[in-house]
Amino acid sequence: MKVQRSWMTGVLVGAIALATGGWLINQSGATSGGESRRLLDEIHRLISARFVDEIPPEELYQMAIDGMLEKLGDPYTTFLEPRDSEDLRLTTTGNYGGLGVRIDVKDDWITVVQVLPNSPAVREGLEVGDRIIEVEGESAEGWSVDKAVDTLRGEKGAPVNITIARVGVDRPLAIRIVRDVIQVAQAQGFVLDGDIGYVTLRGFSREAKEELVATLDRLVEEGAGGLILDLRRNPGGLLPAGIDVTDLFLDRGKPVVETRSRLDEQNYLFRASSEDRYADVPIVVVVDGLSASASEIVAGALQDHDRAVVVGTTTFGKGSVQTLYGLSGNNSMKVTTARWYTPAGRSITKDFDRESALRDLAASAVAVSGEPVAARSEPEDREEYTTMGGRTVYGGGGITPDLIVYRDTLSTEEQELRRLATRSGAIPRNVVFRWAVEYSNQHDFNEGFSVTQAMREEVWAALVDAGAEVERELFDQSLTYVDWLIADELAGAEFGEVPQLRSRAVRDAQIQVAIDLLREADSPDALLTVAAQVAEERGADGAQSEESGGDR
């Protein structure tokens, strides 16, 4: 039985998670549940008493859990210890107790790459480029981002003592920061090229729809006649949030997504509950290989209803629903309980094991920085479906865009520059980041700055000082990449997150294709016509030549 609803509580479309753990001994023969439990207890007692190395009983039980989950072959069914459950809660609510900084590892040190507004970090004067060298008297050298996040997060009102090293300051600075609730912005947007609204959505927390509406309404008021919804690198989040976001762009009653399960209570057909808020506005949705779960629900529904043109590369292929169940000891389980289907009946689930998933993630990964990377290959065998307007779309292995457009890719020379510099310990992005912080402290310039030859010379000198074993000729052959790094890091260091996003957008091949499409279309129907014409020019699948490396 199908139940039509517009909202559901407690069901998660999880972020990308891969099962890990040990092995479960294969058992043959048809045994009853009781016999299997007795057999498991016998094996547990035997190993506890007789195995050559002593293993605590609780570790054996954990091995059994890990092995059972691995044998399921589902990377999204996972056991969550109390801390993991809290991390999941934080990612879905978008709120946590912390300092209000974005951090990354730069030259083996945890480094502040952004200071969030109205945060404890702002109040205590933290700056972009600050290296966190100690936390509560413990050296932070060699810390991973995960370790730093775990250590710096805490309860609201709880203080943490850190020591930082700052560019231009010859001694460490001791700072005491009182943690506060940090709300991570889900949506950021601005107007590009005069009248094209651009908004990036990072995730699908409970606040996602509200933030997206506020951002889109502002862009429309500022004169945006077309919209770009950037879902790249968006791993998903709450299923209700994905449905609510889709609801913004569809008329009341239109199907959004269907979940199918062997549990009757999880067989749902979700429909839009309100009218299209932006009915006359043409929309391009941009996706990539890290757009997953709720991102794919939005892209798939808008594509099936011919409401938007999808541009980019094929999405991750995460078409299942997880439900969170509480267990003893404050533990919990995230269990795959249903699969979801687009309005056209597509299941976009990609079948993979853990190893192939890791390889695919590595191949598709685009750094959070947006730095150009090698393009991902597209699936060859795709099952055909038909949209509400009669267009051909594809199922299986993710949402395939209407126009396949690859990100900017590094040339052979640029890849060699990055490889040689990194091998000698001078990672180009890290070197340019440190240079940009210093340059920003010493110079005044406007957001619309241009990269100059003098800047390039300073970056070359910084690479040499950092020990990069690179010939000057190779550097000069890689100026497109060098200029990209300079523009990106200077925008971030001097002006902050939104100007940095704007700087990236104007240098982004996929965004430029979206802008070109919207330039030629004054309505959603016109946009579909323009996209079809471009697809016909490019070939049957609408793919841009991978060898071209984008529109650089």
Side-chain angles (χ1 to χ4, degrees), residues 43-111:
I43 292 173
H44 183 276
R45 288 196 299 271
L46 184 60
I47 293 177
S48 295
R50 301 289 182 173
F51 186 66
V52 62
D53 296 320
E54 184 176 357
I55 302 176
E58 61 273 14
E59 288 189 19
L60 288 177
Y61 280 116
Q62 185 63 53
M63 291 178 187
I65 292 171
D66 293 342
M68 185 188 308
L69 295 180
E70 180 157 334
K71 285 296 182 180
L72 286 178
D74 175 34
Y76 308 112
T77 295
T78 56
F79 174 78
L80 302 175
E81 297 180 356
R83 188 180 70 177
D84 299 324
S85 299
E86 176 64 9
D87 288 343
L88 181 60
R89 184 190 68 80
L90 292 173
T91 60
T92 55
T93 62
N95 297 291
Y96 60 90
L99 310 187
V101 294
R102 295 188 190 279
I103 56 176
D104 198 2
V105 176
K106 303 283 188 182
D107 300 322
D108 213 30
W109 290 99
I110 295 297
T111 304

Side-chain angles (χ1 to χ4, degrees), residues 148-424:
V149 168
D150 288 343
T151 305
L152 295 175
R153 274 182 182 170
E155 294 295 325
K156 175 183 177 180
V160 59
N161 297 294
I162 65 174
T163 303
I164 63 169
R166 177 169 294 169
V167 173
V169 178
D170 58 4
R171 60 182 179 82
L173 303 175
I175 299 178
R176 182 178 186 270
I177 302 182
V178 177
R179 298 179 179 94
D180 200 353
V181 173
I182 306 298
Q183 182 171 353
V184 180
Q186 298 287 288
Q188 295 279 16
F190 40 81
V191 174
L192 283 171
D193 206 25
D195 61 351
I196 305 297
Y198 169 90
V199 58
T200 180
L201 189 63
R202 290 196 177 95
F204 288 85
S205 70
R206 294 184 179 90
E207 293 80 16
K209 177 183 177 180
E210 181 180 350
E211 289 190 30
L212 183 60
V213 167
T215 302
L216 291 176
D217 286 354
R218 174 175 57 81
L219 297 181
V220 171
E221 289 175 2
E222 292 176 3
L227 293 174
I228 299 171
L229 177 59
D230 191 348
L231 297 180
R232 293 175 299 179
R233 303 175 297 280
N234 185 323
L238 291 168
L239 175 59
I243 294 168
D244 287 345
V245 166
T246 309
D247 197 351
L248 295 173
F249 309 106
L250 297 179
D251 288 329
R252 187 190 309 273
K254 287 189 174 181
V256 174
V257 66
E258 180 183 356
T259 58
R260 302 177 189 174
S261 171
R262 68 189 183 102
L263 306 174
D264 288 341
E265 67 271 19
Q266 289 198 9
N267 288 311
Y268 291 99
L269 176 60
F270 296 93
R271 295 183 181 274
S273 61
S274 59
E275 297 302 321
D276 187 340
R277 189 180 181 93
Y278 309 98
D280 299 325
V281 181
I283 299 172
V284 175
V285 178
V286 188
V287 296
D288 66 4
L290 295 182
S291 304
S293 63
S295 293
E296 296 172 292
I297 287 176
V298 175
L302 298 189
Q303 188 180 49
D304 283 3
H305 285 291
D306 304 291
R307 179 60 183 90
V309 169
V310 180
V311 168
T313 54
T314 298
T315 60
F316 185 78
K318 199 304 191 160
S320 58
V321 178
Q322 282 67 52
T323 304
L324 193 64
Y325 295 97
L327 303 174
S328 61
N330 291 324
N331 298 300
S332 56
M333 277 282 294
K334 184 156 62 73
V335 182
T336 297
T337 52
R339 291 186 176 88
W340 61 259
Y341 295 78
T342 72
R346 292 185 284 168
S347 170
I348 54 83
T349 298
K350 178 184 294 181
D351 295 327
F352 48 69
D353 56 24
R354 180 172 180 270
E355 287 72 22
S356 65
L358 288 170
R359 289 195 301 270
D360 192 51
L361 277 172
S364 344
V366 178
V368 173
S369 65
E371 185 172 340
V373 295
R376 174 194 183 188
S377 61
E378 292 297 320
E380 296 180 358
D381 299 325
R382 298 175 291 181
E383 187 176 358
E384 293 187 359
Y385 291 79
T386 303
T387 69
M388 306 307 169
R391 297 187 304 134
T392 299
V393 290
Y394 301 95
I399 299 294
T400 300
D402 301 303
L403 289 174
I404 296 172
V405 180
Y406 297 101
R407 290 189 61 88
D408 281 334
T409 54
L410 298 179
S411 68
T412 301
E413 291 79 13
E414 291 164 347
Q415 292 182 56
E416 183 69 359
L417 171 72
R418 188 167 66 175
R419 185 185 70 83
L420 291 175
T422 300
R423 188 179 68 178
S424 53

Side-chain angles (χ1 to χ4, degrees), residues 190 192-193 196 198 228 230 232 284 286 311 403 405-406 408 501-520 538 544 550-552:
F190 40 81
L192 283 171
D193 206 25
I196 305 297
Y198 169 90
I228 299 171
D230 191 348
R232 293 175 299 179
V284 175
V286 188
V311 168
L403 289 174
V405 180
Y406 297 101
D408 281 334
L501 288 172
R502 186 182 292 110
S503 174
R504 291 173 183 173
V506 300
R507 293 172 172 82
D508 189 311
Q510 292 170 329
I511 300 303
Q512 288 307 307
V513 168
I515 291 174
D516 291 343
L517 291 173
L518 292 168
R519 276 268 161 263
E520 301 296 323
R538 290 185 171 185
Q544 147 204 40
D551 297 337
R552 289 181 56 175

Side-chain angles (χ1 to χ4, degrees), residues 462-482:
L463 282 168
V464 172
D465 290 344
E469 298 177 359
V470 176
E471 296 295 332
R472 177 59 191 251
E473 181 181 4
L474 184 61
F475 178 85
D476 291 336
Q477 292 172 340
S478 306
L479 289 184
T480 299
Y481 173 53
V482 171

